[in-house]
Amino acid sequence: MTLVTLVGALTIVGVAATAVRSEVDEIFDQQLVLGANLLVNLMRDELSDLRKTTGSVVAVDDMPLLSAEDREAFDAYADWRMFRIWYQDRLQFRSDTGPDVKAPQDSENSTFHNVRSGGKVWRIYTLAAPGGYPIVQVGERLGVRKQLVHNIALQLAAPFVGIALLLLVIIWISLRSGLRDLDGFSARLAQQQGSPPFIPVRSEDWPAELGELTAVINGLFRRIEDGLLHERTFIEMAAHQLRTPLAALSLEAQLCARIDDPAELKPRLMALNAATDRIARLADQLLVLARLGAAGESDALIPSVREVVGQLLADAAPVIAERRIDVALEGGDFAFRGSDTALRLALANLIENAMGHTPPGSELVIDIERAANLPSGYIEIRDRGPGMSDEDKEKAFDRFWRAPTNTRNGTGLGLAIARDAADLLGGRIRLVDRSDGLSGLVARLMLPKIDA
């Protein structure tokens, strides 16, 4: 700011000095023209009789043809002015100041020119009377003009420099005041501890200029707090849920180590393998939950929800064949804009959960529909399982919760993952009873944002 202010002040002074120099040159040149015309008119009558004289140069003090008033006018010229009067290419009168100049070559044109003499530069104006004679040359030292311009420039610079210094003081005080608020704001942020809960910054406690920054900082605090809480929850949940399976796995391994009979060892090894599979499946689902809560995937156009469901059913084909489940894919299709990963996670867990509760030889129906007169769609998955009570439906999405009637070897995370994925999609999942009177449960995934 100091540099910009000083450069601005010096630029203004430089422009003013240039304008003053132009004006001074114009005024002084006009004075030379005026002086030359005055001398021409003054000397024209007196020099008309010089044809009768010898034509020798006449000094200023020996001008018999000049009156006392004329000599006084000549003597009024200072030492920084000069004049020469030529008649028929001969110098007739001159001041005792100024450089020696040659006789003018062009007696019909009025001209300005500069002459350097004795280290000084003189600006000389040449003027010829009507008829060609006498020719008058008047001039003055350019140093006088430069000194005048210098003095005026200094007089102009003084207030500008004063204004610049005043502006610098005002800017310094303003910046110090503003930075004092920013320093206080930084100190307030430094009071936050490294773990939640974070205390939001009150925007009304700070100047309006920090209002937007306050909102951004509070939003950042919320995201950090959510991330830390999510991380803590995940660690606690993983530690709690893995403790029992790992203990069981360790116990099975110890039992296997004590058995020497191969026939007795085989079922123990199968139980050990099943426990290992349960731990691996639980770890995978915990990691899926962690990824879902940590960051969302950018939205993309999914041109066909029906195609996504078909791919998921193809992946589950071995399980479907093993359980002898008839899967019916009904309804239409629609495009969707959202996270492809979240959509696949939600549908995959809902389909897997429905297949786990559908008895062998039963039918599983997946219905894809677009809501009438609404920019939304839904996917229904209808199984033929035992269904759920209203109380169990409320608990079904809790992590690690399993229904009392559930005989499957699950982890209780499938519906929790589906719910979190649906939340990322901006949708929701509802569990309702079948409307056709048959036993079973309907899982409906509502998608609010579908592509037109």
Side-chain angles (χ1 to χ4, degrees), residues 204-323:
E204 54 269 21
D205 294 340
W206 304 99
E209 292 80 5
L210 296 177
E212 185 174 352
L213 179 60
T214 300
V216 173
I217 291 294
N218 286 334
L220 179 61
F221 280 164
R222 285 192 294 271
R223 290 193 295 273
I224 293 175
E225 185 172 9
D226 291 342
L228 292 175
L229 290 176
H230 172 78
E231 180 181 356
R232 178 180 299 176
T233 302
F234 171 76
I235 293 174
E236 293 174 352
M237 180 174 57
H240 179 269
Q241 295 300 322
L242 290 174
R243 185 183 297 114
T244 300
L246 287 175
L249 183 65
S250 177
L251 180 61
E252 289 289 344
Q254 293 175 11
L255 291 175
C256 289
R258 297 175 183 175
I259 298 175
D260 296 329
D261 186 3
E264 187 179 354
L265 181 61
K266 183 176 180 180
R268 289 294 181 183
L269 289 177
M270 293 178 63
L272 180 63
N273 184 62
T276 305
D277 290 340
R278 285 197 301 271
I279 293 176
R281 180 177 176 80
L282 178 60
D284 289 340
Q285 290 186 317
L286 288 173
L287 291 176
V288 168
L289 279 175
R291 286 194 296 269
L292 280 175
E297 181 184 349
S298 59
D299 290 349
L301 177 62
I302 302 171
S304 174
V305 173
R306 191 181 189 89
E307 182 179 348
V308 174
V309 173
Q311 293 172 356
L312 294 175
L313 291 177
D315 294 338
V319 179
I320 295 174
E322 180 183 359
R323 296 183 61 84

Side-chain angles (χ1 to χ4, degrees), residues 119-165:
K120 300 176 181 179
V121 180
W122 293 77
R123 183 161 180 79
I124 299 175
Y125 176 69
T126 303
L127 176 64
Y133 290 99
I135 299 176
V136 174
Q137 290 180 319
V138 294
E140 60 189 8
R141 291 204 315 268
L142 289 181
V144 176
R145 300 186 182 187
K146 293 181 179 179
Q147 184 63 36
L148 179 61
V149 172
H150 178 71
N151 294 338
I152 295 176
L154 287 180
Q155 294 177 0
L156 289 175
F160 279 115
V161 172
I163 293 173
L165 293 176

